[in-house]
Amino acid sequence: MTKTSTRGKNAFRGKKLTAYLAHIISPKTASTLTNIPRGAIVVDEEGKIVEVGEWFKLKRNYDGMVQVIDYGQKIITPGFVDLHLHLPQITQTARTGKTLLGWLDSYVFPAEARFADKRHARKIANWFFDELARNGTTLANVFTTVHKDATDIAFEIAAAKGHRVIMGKVLMDKNSPKALTEDTETSLKDAEELCKRWHGYDNNRLIYAFIPRFAITASKELLTGCGKLWKKYKGTYLHTHLAETKDECTFVKKQYPSARSYVDVYASHNLTGKNSIFAHSIYLDDKDLRALKESQSSLAHCASANFFLKSGFFPFSRIKKAGIKFGLGSDVAGGPQMSLFSVMKDTAYMQMDLWISPRELFYLGTLGGAKAANLDKVVGSLEEGKEADFVVIDPTRRTGVPNDMLGHNVDEILSTLIYLGDDRMIVSTFVRGRKIFDADKTRSTDKTLRSTKSAGKLKLA
Ligand code: GUN
Ligand code: ZN
């Protein structure tokens, strides 16, 4: 792991370096990981990881040349990867009692329509990104709404606050409420303009995604147009929902009677391929799986949302066997919790006939997600040369966690994080070496939020 022998002190001279000390846990594969109880990650001023290893070995190399931040009895892991969630829906968490299509009509579409108001859009986007950081999410694949201005504002806020996102406006031109139904040409034009403005911003910290919401709310022209834009702009993503509920699949079958399957609807409009991410992907047959694998498409498994909306069971073993890349998505607000700990836990709970190891769950919420997004060369694990996206975790902030937790073996530590973890365990969140969340500092922000809300000045939904 450590490569201290190949480095002399001179290699770092003149560079501003920071060493973060803690118990380091980072995935390598679904079953292997790096575990360094008294470890350090050394980060340069550009936010790149220079070295990871045991501090007592590394420190000789950096004598006097590094700022040391010692987190003591805490854990550092890669930041979490949320492969699918909705910015505007943070106002609609925990709205229960309806399955997908009814839930969209009753709660989601009215909430999204409010994003025509730029002040509302700014307020909620600020809240959303603060919550992402508070939950330790350092790469998020985000749906906004159909609104160009609201999406522009979301990018502006993500840029300023230091987030790493794949994001884009939603495109909808049929079967949706009037307030959200776009003219096809305008929808595509707005998406292209946003892409031109934001895609690749700050050395690819912000990446654009083309987002036809799902087959139901898109005309053939809109799907075809999305496919063309996605191909035209290198490095962009295609992000949509696929086969989440039986009712949705029936609707799509009626819309496309000659298509072999739902996957075929997307494939025939050139929407499958590398850098396409399909959320949910529950009701798929073996031919669909082969098509997704062969096209190098990726999936976002949204366990909590599948639970919450009673949509069904992700075919975890079949997907794995088919060799399709997948990661985890909170699907806020289909899933009520933004914490990837919670999504990992629900991923385990939903597979009734399978024990998914804590290592594998941790991998899926970090490096596996980065792999599914084809960004694993950049983020997803703590390795030399990658960007320093990481979280500092204090497991003892939760009840039920013994004070000597860090003395346990790494599988027990991970299991504790997954089954007991939530935002309360996150001490700090870093993206590319920049601290974007500090639990001690944000307590005062929480107080402000509470007091303005109770004074009736801040209405969140
Ligand atoms: N399918 C189409 N739109 C949505 C959405 O907003 N949430 C979920 N979970 N599924 C969808
Ligand atoms: Zn969704």
Side-chain angles (χ1 to χ4, degrees):
M1 188 69 228
T2 62
K3 292 183 184 164
T4 47
S5 58
T6 62
R7 292 172 185 280
K9 282 184 184 178
N10 288 336
F12 309 109
R13 205 164 291 286
K15 285 198 172 179
K16 221 171 129 203
L17 301 172
T18 308
Y20 298 93
L21 278 49
H23 186 131
I24 309 278
I25 306 176
S26 177
K28 287 184 183 164
T29 66
S31 58
T32 60
L33 44 75
T34 300
N35 177 44
I36 316 171
R38 286 181 193 285
I41 55 171
V42 182
V43 177
D44 71 15
E45 57 203 326
E46 270 102 48
K48 273 238 161 75
I49 299 175
V50 172
E51 214 164 9
V52 181
E54 290 175 274
W55 179 234
F56 84 94
K57 286 186 187 160
L58 294 193
K59 70 178 172 194
R60 277 174 260 149
N61 275 358
Y62 301 97
D63 194 20
M65 293 190 297
V66 64
Q67 180 195 10
V68 175
I69 298 179
D70 189 348
Y71 283 107
Q73 292 295 301
K74 295 188 177 57
I75 302 169
I76 288 180
T77 72
F80 301 111
V81 178
D82 191 334
L83 264 197
H84 176 72
L85 81 168
H86 301 255
L87 181 154
Q89 295 179 23
I90 189 168
T91 65
Q92 301 302 308
T93 51
R95 301 285 192 271
T96 185
K98 287 177 195 281
T99 53
L100 177 67
L101 299 179
W103 175 80
L104 288 174
D105 278 337
S106 301
Y107 306 121
V108 169
F109 289 152
E112 294 194 4
R114 292 196 63 194
F115 279 68
D117 172 357
K118 288 196 264 180
R119 276 187 54 210
H120 178 76
R122 184 170 297 280
K123 186 171 69 185
I124 303 304
N126 268 307
W127 180 30
F128 173 84
F129 284 111
D130 287 348
E131 292 296 308
L132 264 190
R134 183 219 289 272
N135 281 283
T137 300
T138 54
L139 169 60
N141 189 24
V142 182
F143 270 52
T144 61
T145 60
V146 294
H147 308 96
K148 185 182 174 196
D149 287 344
T151 306
D152 201 38
I153 288 166
F155 271 112
E156 201 187 283
I157 293 170
K161 287 182 184 278
H163 289 261
R164 187 187 298 282
V165 293
I166 303 167
M167 187 159 72
K169 84 178 270 312
V170 173
L171 296 97
M172 293 203 270
D173 69 348
K174 65 189 279 197
N175 293 328
S176 27
K178 200 159 166 260
L180 296 174
T181 306
E182 303 172 283
D183 163 66
T184 311
E185 221 176 282
T186 312
S187 177
L188 292 163
K189 193 168 135 282
D190 286 354
E192 182 166 16
E193 278 176 24
L194 285 164
C195 174
K196 281 191 190 158
R197 193 172 307 162
W198 291 107
H199 179 56
Y201 177 90
D202 191 19
N203 199 15
N204 263 354
R205 184 161 60 77
L206 307 184
I207 299 176
Y208 199 79
F210 295 99
I211 307 180
R213 182 173 211 117
F214 60 166
I216 291 178
T217 52
S219 66
K220 284 171 188 282
E221 294 72 32
L222 193 76
L223 293 180
T224 307
C226 282
K228 283 186 181 156
L229 289 171
W230 176 41
K231 287 278 137 48
K232 180 172 172 186
Y233 293 96
K234 220 172 156 281
T236 59
Y237 285 71
L238 190 291
H239 183 189
T240 188
H241 296 94
L242 167 68
E244 178 178 357
T245 71
K246 285 186 181 158
D247 289 349
E248 171 198 1
C249 294
T250 306
F251 202 136
V252 172
K253 185 76 202 157
K254 272 200 198 126
Q255 235 170 305
Y256 292 95
S258 60
R260 200 203 68 79
S261 68
Y262 199 159
V263 169
D264 192 36
V265 171
Y266 289 143
S268 62
H269 290 89
N270 297 319
L271 298 175
T272 53
K274 195 170 175 197
N275 284 1
S276 64
I277 299 179
F278 296 98
H280 301 281
S281 306
I282 295 175
Y283 300 100
L284 303 174
D285 64 21
D286 287 345
K287 271 195 177 164
D288 293 328
L289 299 193
R290 271 200 298 282
L292 290 166
K293 164 72 182 164
E294 278 164 18
S295 61
Q296 301 181 55
S297 305
S298 295
L299 312 182
H301 172 29
C302 305
S304 311
N306 298 344
F307 235 162
F308 184 76
L309 294 173
K310 303 194 188 297
S311 302
F313 294 86
F314 181 75
F316 192 94
S317 301
R318 283 176 57 228
I319 300 277
K320 253 178 84 172
K321 197 159 159 235
I324 301 166
K325 289 191 267 193
F326 71 100
L328 306 180
S330 68
D331 193 26
V332 159
Q337 310 270 356
M338 203 184 264
S339 172
L340 259 288
F341 288 139
S342 189
V343 181
M344 291 179 210
K345 178 187 68 186
D346 287 344
T347 297
Y349 283 170
M350 278 216 88
Q351 300 301 319
M352 292 303 286
D353 52 359
L354 200 65
W355 288 104
I356 309 174
S357 71
R359 284 175 187 226
E360 183 165 5
L361 294 164
F362 175 58
Y363 168 81
L364 288 171
T366 54
L367 186 57
K371 273 204 164 120
N374 301 303
L375 289 172
D376 52 305
K377 286 203 167 61
V378 186
V379 291
S381 59
L382 304 174
E383 286 176 71
E384 182 182 326
K386 286 197 180 181
E387 301 200 0
D389 289 15
F390 63 96
V391 283
V392 183
I393 301 169
D394 180 358
T396 64
R397 290 183 179 210
R398 287 285 277 121
T399 39
V401 180
N403 283 337
D404 68 347
M405 189 67 239
L406 293 191
H408 291 229
N409 71 48
V410 69
D411 294 293
E412 287 181 9
I413 295 173
L414 288 177
S415 191
T416 299
L417 298 184
I418 291 163
Y419 290 95
L420 286 174
D422 61 23
D423 57 298
R424 284 169 289 185
M425 282 192 185
I426 306 294
V427 173
S428 286
T429 304
F430 291 76
V431 171
R432 202 183 267 167
R434 171 179 168 189
K435 194 193 277 184
I436 63 165
F437 171 72
D438 183 328
D440 297 325
K441 282 202 183 130
T442 37
R443 280 208 187 99
S444 57
T445 316
D446 288 352
K447 226 157 78 198
T448 320
L449 194 66
R450 268 198 300 276
S451 61
T452 36
K453 194 179 174 194
S454 60
K457 286 188 193 132
L458 185 74
K459 201 160 170 282
L460 295 173

